[in-house]
Amino acid sequence: MEAFRDILSFLRLAVPSALMVCLEWWSFELLVLFSGFLPNPKLEASVLSISLNTLSLVFRIPSGLGAAISTRVSNELGAGRPEAARLATHVIMALGLVSSVSVGLAIILVRNLWGYAYSNEKEVVEYIARMMPILAMTFLFDDLQCVLSGIVRGCGFQKIGAYVNLSAYYLVGIPAALYFAFVYHLGGMGLWFGLTCGLVVQTVLLLSITLRTNWDKEALKAKDRVFSSSLPVDLAT
């Protein structure tokens, strides 16, 4: 039963953390569903599926950075080293910026060839080539938000992060995507561009949270969580 001793404290962090990820990825999956209502649903769904797959592929880089900084920040705060947590935050943000720009440039350079990895149809390949610069811009913000989300999780701000993702994607991103696609008649590019607007809002909000973080205060909170969830002496020995 000692394994479940702090299960409620764990769930208070785990559930909002899962929501942070789910709320973001559900919104991208919705784009493919919405593409079925566009004038040429077969083409639009194909291109958006390829775009989503491409973004998922390159997303593994910031995903690793986000997981690393989440662990590093939480460990440093729990050990009572706020300055080390702040330094790690600065380093990972620099790495995130470098990786986002590098991968974004690579996406743009292969834009005329990437479609052939998925289809031999000229219409699909040309559409993908037009989408790739938007994908590059999307990855720029997606990379940064993934790193910032890792920092937020490491600080224990999962609930705030969940609210940020909810507002950014479902109050800004999805409505903007529908507006660009069905009012301005931009098709799949409009759907993707609208969701990128949500990504921009998410990145700005997470960045403001990170910049306003009181690292000394969060280190004290983290140490309190560590001591409150420590194992009994007989089990620890």
Side-chain angles (χ1 to χ4, degrees), residues 20 62 65-74 92 144-156 158 206:
M20 284 184 66
L65 294 176
I69 192 58
S70 177
T71 304
R72 182 63 182 271
V73 166
S74 59
I92 204 68
L144 295 176
Q145 73 79 19
C146 188
V147 169
L148 292 169
S149 293
I151 297 171
V152 167
R153 288 193 298 270
C155 293
Q158 280 86 342
L206 292 175

Side-chain angles (χ1 to χ4, degrees), residues 31-98:
L31 292 190
V32 181
L33 294 177
F34 290 144
S35 66
F37 297 98
L38 294 172
N40 191 346
K42 184 176 180 180
L43 174 63
E44 299 288 3
S46 298
V47 171
L48 286 177
S49 297
I50 294 171
S51 300
L52 184 60
N53 184 270
T54 302
L55 191 66
S56 299
L57 176 65
V58 295
F59 184 75
R60 302 308 162 198
I61 299 173
S63 179
L65 294 176
I69 192 58
S70 177
T71 304
R72 182 63 182 271
V73 166
S74 59
N75 285 346
E76 296 293 359
L77 292 178
R81 294 193 291 263
E83 289 301 324
R86 181 187 288 109
L87 177 61
T89 297
H90 293 164
V91 171
I92 204 68
M93 290 176 66
L95 289 175
L97 185 60
V98 170

Side-chain angles (χ1 to χ4, degrees), residues 113-152:
L113 301 174
W114 189 251
Y116 289 108
Y118 297 89
S119 175
N120 290 323
E121 296 185 16
K122 185 178 180 181
E123 187 179 18
V124 174
V125 173
E126 291 178 348
Y127 199 158
I128 288 295
R130 296 196 302 270
M131 283 288 294
M132 292 297 270
I134 301 178
L135 284 179
M137 181 177 63
T138 301
F139 180 75
L140 173 64
F141 290 101
D142 203 24
D143 188 306
L144 295 176
Q145 73 79 19
C146 188
V147 169
L148 292 169
S149 293
I151 297 171
V152 167

Side-chain angles (χ1 to χ4, degrees), residues 1 3 15 27 57 79 83-84 101 107 127 153 158 183 201 219 235:
M1 293 304 295
V15 173
S27 62
L57 176 65
E83 289 301 324
V101 172
I107 290 174
Y127 199 158
R153 288 193 298 270
Q158 280 86 342
V183 177
V201 173
L235 290 179

Side-chain angles (χ1 to χ4, degrees), residues 6-17 156 158-159:
D6 293 310
I7 191 66
L8 292 179
S9 299
F10 176 80
L11 290 175
R12 279 195 289 268
L13 294 175
V15 173
S17 183
Q158 280 86 342
K159 286 185 178 179

